[in-house]
Amino acid sequence: MSSYQHILIACDYSVQSLQVALKAKTLAEQQQAKLSLLHVLDNIAMPDTAYGTVISLDKTSDNWHLEQEKNKLAEFAQQLEIPQGNCWLIWGLPKQEIVQLAQEQAVDLIVVGSHGRHGLALLLGSTANAVLHHAKCDVLAVRLQDD
Ligand code: AMP
């Protein structure tokens, strides 16, 4: 099996997201792969724009909320020693944005939790399921127990 070059962690800040991310970090170290981190902002009203889902974080009316989100991502990234340049905060639907960013950034492994905020009652959460179906690269769904 050839080694992975670029691993993307999809993080939703659910309780077990650090566990998912640490697994990705270990894998990246073993494979000497680049490690990137993505959080998709799906709970804030999408600004009216014709420029798709990626919006400059400085050009929005809700700067306070965005600053909080940026800080949260920076703190999470710091725990994993992921450089700022490898961190992504994107507006939109998680399942779409994860797959799209992976393609744009030549990611060859996406790491998600088996379930997160949307899929507590499911064996495989809806985001993980959609990413598995639509990603062009490999996907690792880290099995998470409910407790
Ligand atoms: P869910 O489908 O909500 O149960 O989530 C399954 C997994 O998809 C999570 O463990 C994350 O890895 C990923 N995920 C869900 N929502 C997001 C989000 N807003 N941003 C990034 N990744 C997400």
Side-chain angles (χ1 to χ4, degrees):
M1 187 184 81
S2 63
S3 60
Y4 292 112
Q5 308 284 308
H6 190 182
I7 298 175
L8 175 67
I9 303 167
C11 165
D12 64 351
Y13 304 123
S14 57
V15 187
Q16 290 149 316
S17 52
L18 188 60
Q19 180 189 335
V20 173
L22 287 172
K23 195 154 248 184
K25 182 177 166 62
T26 303
L27 207 53
E29 283 168 357
Q30 286 167 352
Q31 310 253 315
Q32 297 181 320
K34 175 177 170 182
L35 187 60
S36 293
L37 176 66
L38 164 67
H39 175 67
V40 182
L41 289 167
D42 59 346
N43 55 354
I44 301 174
M46 183 94 85
D48 187 15
T49 172
Y51 297 103
T53 49
V54 182
I55 293 163
S56 163
L57 295 178
D58 302 323
K59 293 181 185 158
T60 172
S61 51
D62 194 355
N63 275 331
W64 180 82
H65 199 151
L66 282 172
E67 278 308 315
Q68 283 211 321
E69 290 291 345
K70 279 201 274 186
N71 291 340
K72 196 154 67 162
L73 189 67
E75 271 174 37
F76 196 87
Q78 210 173 12
Q79 292 182 73
L80 300 158
E81 296 169 321
I82 298 176
Q84 283 291 298
N86 296 6
C87 297
W88 300 86
L89 194 55
I90 297 178
W91 298 93
L93 276 179
K95 58 186 177 189
Q96 279 176 11
E97 301 305 331
I98 294 167
V99 169
Q100 192 175 324
L101 183 77
Q103 260 180 273
E104 287 168 4
Q105 296 298 316
V107 164
D108 48 12
L109 178 69
I110 300 170
V111 179
V112 293
S114 57
H115 58 252
R117 292 171 307 157
H118 305 103
L120 278 177
L122 305 171
L123 195 61
L124 198 60
S126 55
T127 309
N129 195 33
V131 171
L132 266 170
H133 276 93
H134 297 289
K136 302 261 188 283
C137 63
D138 289 358
V139 178
L140 171 64
V142 177
R143 166 69 56 226
L144 299 172
Q145 308 298 329
D146 285 342
D147 52 355

